Amino acid sequence: MSQKIIFFDIDGTLYDHDKQLPDSTRQAIRDLQERGHEVAIATGRAPFMFKDLRAELGIETFVSYNGQYVVFKGEPLYQNPLNKEALLRLTDIAVEHNHPVVFMDHEDMKANTPDHEHVTAGINSLKINYFPEHDPTYHEGRDLYQSLLFCQDPEDKEYEKQFPEFDFVRWHPFSVDIVPAGGSKAKGIQKIIDQLGISPENIYAFGDGLNDVEMLKTVANSVAMGDGHEDAKNAAKHVTTNVHEDGILNGLKMVGLLD
């Protein structure tokens, strides 16, 4: 069997909705690796938010920040930072509207507002045991790969109109990701594919959310989780069972990677 590369989203895909890794998923990843396949992660999370998961699963290749910071076999491969000037302007407007912003680079994240209930609710939902410290100037002169804007639908639509430099992807009722316009997991994956020189039929991807849609449309062998967003399921070539119902294992069987 020729080597395959399989990209997995984390939240709602590898992790169930309690942020736990199902035993069947853990074993399935090991089985893939024992068969000589490359297992990688493609997530909206920052690298420091899934360090323990990478260590547990022995994964050294990943697409983080929805494609903006890519690492191949432990070494940085591609970086696509946010437009610094536009982020300064956006932050000024956000402050005027009491919309907190969390600034994120490859090592850390800082909040421009201390002790805001929407930041607390959003970050705590990730269950990462890590909370951003207060630093309202962290975005000045620094390469940032993603930021979190805390506002509710449809308040984000006004930011979309004013800032074509960015894409805004909702991940929580209180928050949207801010990423460079046109950036996506799919483009981050392509950087790794170019490095590997692997053919399209040997590329697989699993996801469940809105930030997985382009990845699921683009990758030749794509699988959406059964309890994923309808747009993700419509974008994927296959739909497996729910994440907590052995969704990863069943999906890998569905596409012929495991027996």
Side-chain angles (χ1 to χ4, degrees), residues 186 205 212-222 231-232 234-237:
D212 296 315
V213 168
E214 186 173 349
M215 173 180 76
L216 295 172
K217 284 182 179 178
T218 304
V219 171
N221 305 289
S222 59
D231 288 357
N234 290 335
K237 312 301 187 299

Side-chain angles (χ1 to χ4, degrees), residues 6-8 12-13 200-209 212-213 215-243 247-257:
I6 308 96
F7 293 90
F8 293 96
T13 303
E201 66 269 17
N202 291 323
I203 306 167
Y204 297 73
F206 285 69
D208 74 302
D212 296 315
V213 168
M215 173 180 76
L216 295 172
K217 284 182 179 178
T218 304
V219 171
N221 305 289
S222 59
V223 182
M225 308 307 290
D227 45 353
H229 194 284
E230 286 302 313
D231 288 357
K233 291 192 280 189
N234 290 335
K237 312 301 187 299
H238 307 276
V239 178
T240 184
T241 53
N242 293 354
V243 60
I248 293 298
L249 176 61
N250 291 331
L252 290 168
K253 290 179 178 179
M254 186 180 297
V255 297
L257 288 176

Side-chain angles (χ1 to χ4, degrees), residues 7 12 32 38 40 55 66 74 77 158 163 171 183 196 237-238 245:
F7 293 90
L32 289 173
E38 181 79 22
N66 290 315
L77 177 65
E158 189 59 37
F163 294 96
W171 64 276
L196 276 175
K237 312 301 187 299
H238 307 276
E245 296 174 338

Side-chain angles (χ1 to χ4, degrees), residues 12 50 94 115 170 185 193 198 209 222 224 229 235:
F50 59 101
D115 304 322
R170 185 160 293 280
K185 290 184 181 183
I193 300 312
I198 197 167
S222 59
H229 194 284

Side-chain angles (χ1 to χ4, degrees), residues 7-169:
F7 293 90
F8 293 96
D9 171 53
I10 295 178
D11 299 289
T13 303
L14 286 178
Y15 279 162
D16 64 21
H17 300 297
D18 293 321
K19 307 303 181 187
Q20 299 297 312
L21 187 69
D23 290 339
S24 63
T25 296
R26 184 181 294 103
Q27 186 60 50
I29 299 300
R30 290 173 182 161
D31 290 345
L32 289 173
Q33 292 165 330
E34 288 175 0
R35 295 183 183 206
H37 300 313
E38 181 79 22
V39 177
I41 285 173
T43 181
R45 288 188 178 217
F48 55 84
M49 290 183 178
F50 59 101
K51 186 176 180 180
D52 290 345
L53 179 64
R54 298 198 309 272
E56 179 181 359
L57 296 179
I59 294 175
E60 296 184 329
T61 296
F62 61 86
V63 173
S64 64
Y65 285 134
N66 290 315
Q68 315 320 313
Y69 191 84
V70 179
V71 168
F72 179 71
K73 294 189 181 297
E75 297 295 329
L77 177 65
Y78 173 73
Q79 299 88 38
N80 183 32
L82 294 163
N83 181 296
K84 293 182 177 67
E85 187 274 334
L87 186 60
L88 286 169
R89 288 189 288 112
L90 182 148
T91 302
D92 288 343
I93 293 172
V95 169
E96 292 175 4
H97 291 84
N98 192 30
H99 292 155
V101 182
V102 171
F103 310 114
M104 310 173 78
D105 61 15
H106 63 294
E107 294 178 327
D108 206 350
M109 62 178 175
K110 305 289 185 181
N112 74 329
T113 304
D115 304 322
H116 194 286
E117 60 181 353
H118 288 180
V119 177
T120 299
I123 298 299
N124 285 348
S125 74
L126 296 173
K127 299 184 180 179
I128 56 174
N129 298 318
Y130 188 94
F131 197 81
E133 296 178 352
H134 177 221
D135 185 346
T137 64
Y138 198 70
H139 60 312
E140 297 178 4
R142 186 188 304 270
D143 280 345
L144 302 175
Y145 302 100
Q146 183 170 292
S147 289
L148 308 178
L149 173 65
F150 287 82
C151 63
Q152 295 174 272
D153 187 27
E155 295 169 320
D156 51 313
K157 301 302 185 289
E158 189 59 37
Y159 290 94
E160 291 179 2
K161 294 177 185 177
Q162 294 189 53
F163 294 96
E165 301 92 343
F166 303 136
D167 286 339
F168 298 83
V169 182

